[in-house]
Amino acid sequence: RQRFKPSFASYPKLTHLTVSLATRYPADNVQYEIHDFNLPMRWEAGRFDLVHARQLLLCVCHCLPAYSSLSDSDLAPQQPIDYCHLVLELARVLRPNGLFLAGEWMPKLYEDDPDYPSSRRPSVFGPPNHRPLPPPAWILETYELILSLPNARSLFYASTSILEILRSSGLFEDIVTNWHVAPLDDERVRDFVFDAVDATRVLFLESGMSETQLENRVRGIRREVVEDLKGVKLAFLSVHARRNTVRP
């Protein structure tokens, strides 16, 4: 997007490769590619100094960190990739001491609560001093619809998995997690939520919802976010780790 161009242009010696949808406004040192994560990446081992993987909530399956059972054959294209396999491949293309940076939005809402018992709120499950709230009906409806689709990915709760996956892989060290909260009162955060809602329009239309029903749904969500969710926050988990010298 246009707003990202100045940040990359500020680092002319940086070569940035993005495996995602392309932009119409790439900086000169940015290259975009589209890649199927069910397949191994085309780059040689140790190619990159930094790998940034974020917002993969619905792109990869949940997994258990059982690395002893994984092999190259598990990356067959007919099998949907899970996060454990993805970590193996990202570790392969990272150079020794290279940096892995992950980030995921939690699919929950939170409110300030400094007295929320720490015994009921391990730091890996959510930001400190914040109580999780029951999800609004429209969030539950979206999840149910996505999970009903053919070949749907399981909902991947990054905050409860990434840390353990990296530790269990044996391929990373200096693993650090941080929580960041974003208030829905902030216009930029609301716009992010509205963009996410708009991205699901086609799914609801294909499920049989009429245009009128969909527009009423979107208007209702926007009204609820602006009027009823004041003081409520989203939470973003960032994880960074240093690649060790162990070969995957």
Side-chain angles (χ1 to χ4, degrees):
R1 296 182 183 179
Q2 182 67 47
R3 65 178 181 272
F4 294 134
K5 185 174 181 179
S7 61
F8 292 125
S10 299
Y11 301 92
K13 295 183 179 180
L14 172 71
T15 299
H16 180 271
L17 174 65
T18 295
V19 182
S20 68
L21 297 180
T23 176
R24 292 175 294 172
Y25 309 104
D28 293 338
N29 57 341
V30 178
Q31 175 186 344
Y32 282 84
E33 294 191 15
I34 297 176
H35 175 72
D36 182 354
F37 283 123
N38 292 299
L39 302 172
M41 295 182 179
R42 66 177 180 84
W43 301 286
E44 68 276 13
R47 172 68 175 81
F48 298 106
D49 299 307
L50 183 148
V51 172
H52 183 195
R54 66 175 182 178
Q55 294 177 229
L56 301 180
L57 177 67
L58 298 175
C59 300
V60 296
C61 295
H62 178 76
C63 67
L64 297 176
Y67 284 90
S68 59
S69 64
L70 300 182
S71 65
D72 290 341
S73 62
D74 292 324
L75 289 173
Q78 67 271 19
Q79 298 295 327
I81 196 168
D82 62 36
Y83 208 92
C84 295
H85 290 88
L86 183 59
V87 165
L88 288 176
E89 185 63 3
L90 297 181
R92 184 186 68 79
V93 299
L94 262 178
R95 66 166 175 79
N97 295 316
L99 183 64
F100 173 64
L101 177 62
E104 296 291 335
W105 289 99
M106 272 296 290
K108 294 183 179 180
L109 301 176
Y110 296 86
E111 65 179 358
D112 290 322
D113 187 354
D115 298 322
Y116 191 53
S118 58
S119 60
R120 293 174 52 198
R121 182 204 27 82
S123 60
V124 73
F125 290 112
N129 303 320
H130 287 79
R131 177 188 297 273
L133 298 173
W138 52 271
I139 290 182
L140 294 176
E141 291 170 358
T142 303
Y143 288 170
E144 290 174 0
L145 175 60
I146 291 172
L147 291 175
S148 70
L149 298 174
N151 302 317
R153 303 293 194 258
S154 59
L155 288 176
F156 173 63
Y157 280 71
S159 62
T160 63
S161 302
I162 292 181
L163 182 63
E164 181 59 27
I165 289 170
L166 293 180
R167 285 174 175 170
S168 299
S169 73
L171 301 172
F172 293 90
E173 56 192 29
D174 301 330
I175 305 171
V176 178
T177 62
N178 287 288
W179 282 100
H180 315 269
V181 292
L184 283 174
D185 296 337
D186 188 308
E187 183 177 355
R188 295 169 299 177
V189 179
R190 289 201 303 266
D191 287 344
F192 168 78
V193 173
F194 296 155
D195 285 346
V197 171
D198 286 339
T200 66
R201 283 176 176 267
V202 65
L203 299 179
F204 282 93
L205 288 174
E206 291 178 351
S207 73
M209 182 176 288
S210 69
E211 289 277 2
T212 300
Q213 291 173 321
L214 179 59
E215 290 306 317
N216 289 336
R217 179 179 187 272
V218 171
R219 281 197 297 269
I221 293 173
R222 287 176 172 266
R223 182 170 55 252
E224 181 178 354
V225 170
V226 173
E227 299 178 2
D228 300 335
L229 297 180
K230 294 180 180 179
V232 174
K233 299 176 180 179
L234 297 177
F236 184 83
L237 175 72
S238 65
V239 182
H240 63 271
R242 189 72 61 180
R243 176 73 170 90
N244 60 25
T245 57
V246 177
R247 296 188 64 180

